[in-house]
Amino acid sequence: MKNILVPIGTSPDAHETLQYAVDFAAQFSSSVYVMEVFNVTSGAGKLANITATVEKSGKERLKEVIGMVDAKDVDIKIATYNGDLIDGLKEIDEEIGIDLLIIAPRSNDIQEELYLGHTSGRMIKRTEIPTLIVPKGTKFNPFKVVLTGFKSGVLKRKRILNPLIQIKNQFESDIHLLLVKTPGYTDKDLQVNTALMDISSQLTLAEHATTYLGILEHIQLHRPDLLCVFRRKRGVFTNLWEKNTIHKAEFSAKIPVLVLSVKKD
């Protein structure tokens, strides 16, 4: 896990997410990129000057946030981008290779009924980068128990699991698999990827109306330190594909959530 990126919004608690990322990165000797996105459009004559001024202001703010955390000898770098957030994430990923995004659930949104706000929801929906969602105020602790919940055990590539495998190896995590059979499941869904089976200590099958309800029950049973899910249109965040937000009634977790993309090469 070489490069970790932390998008910084306008939240006054942004330093908390960055501190978590730094503490996590220290375990893997990773570099942390702190990213701010701005969007400047103006007349052609003054555009360059305005862009440079806004970019400088953004960098100064990032330096202030960085100054609020204990760096623990982690290499923290600044990245800025003029344009759309998703375009910026993709461009940085192509340039340096992002192994993990670390974000807060609601980002800049303040609606208490939301688990994923518009900004954080777009990042999950429109990128293929593995993402660790860290609830506000969470302090980093090693992941000793990991619950991986899904409704289909089919994975096209083993490399999808790389972040989870690295976490298991680093923390000697006990990984519990939960396959939730929901209405309309097929026999193919019950075929669990062998690489996923190889890193797990237990596989449980459950039947529920939704994947989330199955996960909720087993969070209470196993009390994991980390929940791992897969980014699928038929997965936990089904409603995310119709909009860019997730309400707490649809999904919520008080522990960090690792979202793995089924399309990542």
Side-chain angles (χ1 to χ4, degrees):
M1 204 170 295
K2 185 178 179 181
N3 296 319
I4 294 172
L5 189 142
V6 184
I8 297 294
T10 58
S11 169
D13 304 315
H15 65 284
E16 294 183 359
T17 304
L18 179 57
Q19 184 66 69
Y20 187 100
V22 167
D23 294 346
F24 180 89
Q27 304 294 314
F28 296 89
S29 299
S30 307
S31 295
V32 172
Y33 286 80
V34 185
M35 177 186 182
E36 175 152 294
V37 173
F38 58 94
N39 199 329
V40 175
T41 57
S42 181
K46 297 183 178 180
L47 179 58
N49 289 338
I50 294 174
T51 301
T53 300
V54 174
E55 182 175 6
K56 181 180 179 180
S57 175
K59 286 182 177 179
E60 290 301 319
R61 179 175 179 275
L62 291 181
K63 289 177 181 178
E64 290 179 4
V65 175
I66 292 171
M68 298 172 69
V69 307
D70 178 2
K72 299 185 175 180
D73 295 323
V74 171
D75 184 19
I76 304 177
K77 303 176 182 179
I78 289 176
T80 59
Y81 183 79
N82 180 17
D84 179 71
L85 170 63
I86 304 304
D87 292 337
L89 291 175
K90 292 178 179 178
E91 183 171 303
I92 292 175
D93 186 25
E94 290 176 2
E95 182 179 344
I96 64 172
I98 302 299
D99 299 298
L100 187 70
L101 284 177
I102 295 184
I103 66 173
R106 290 184 289 113
S107 189
N108 297 339
D109 298 276
I110 60 173
Q111 293 175 275
E112 289 300 324
E113 70 269 19
L114 293 179
Y115 172 70
L116 286 181
H118 181 80
T119 303
S120 51
R122 287 183 70 226
M123 285 188 274
I124 297 294
K125 177 180 177 179
R126 297 187 57 193
T127 76
E128 305 296 342
I129 306 170
T131 302
L132 184 62
I133 306 171
V134 181
K136 178 182 176 181
T138 302
K139 306 296 184 184
F140 172 77
N141 285 298
F143 304 128
K144 294 302 182 182
V145 179
V146 180
L147 177 64
T148 302
F150 49 92
K151 68 187 296 181
S152 172
V154 178
L155 299 175
K156 294 182 179 180
R157 300 177 183 87
K158 178 182 177 181
R159 294 173 68 179
I160 292 164
L161 299 173
N162 280 355
L164 183 58
I165 292 172
Q166 291 175 37
I167 285 172
K168 173 182 170 59
N169 292 341
Q170 180 65 29
F171 304 120
E172 298 181 350
S173 308
D174 189 11
I175 298 180
H176 296 266
L177 304 184
L178 174 65
L179 199 167
V180 183
K181 297 192 290 186
T182 59
Y185 76 88
T186 66
D187 290 340
K188 183 179 179 181
D189 291 332
L190 305 183
Q191 299 172 12
V192 181
N193 181 276
T194 55
L196 191 53
M197 290 293 294
D198 288 343
I199 64 173
S200 66
S201 61
Q202 179 183 356
L203 170 65
T204 301
L205 271 67
E207 287 197 53
H208 283 273
T210 67
T211 310
Y212 172 56
L213 290 176
I215 287 174
L216 191 62
E217 176 185 335
H218 286 265
I219 282 179
Q220 297 170 348
L221 179 64
H222 294 290
R223 298 189 179 278
D225 307 300
L226 174 70
L227 172 63
C228 179
V229 299
F230 296 101
R231 177 189 176 278
R232 283 188 170 117
K233 289 187 177 182
R234 294 196 309 123
V236 174
F237 300 131
T238 301
N239 291 335
L240 188 64
W241 304 100
E242 300 175 7
K243 51 192 177 181
N244 288 322
T245 60
I246 289 290
H247 282 252
K248 289 182 178 178
E250 301 162 9
F251 180 91
S252 184
K254 296 181 179 180
I255 59 174
V257 178
L258 176 64
V259 184
L260 301 180
S261 172
V262 295
K263 294 182 180 180
K264 188 73 173 176
D265 290 333

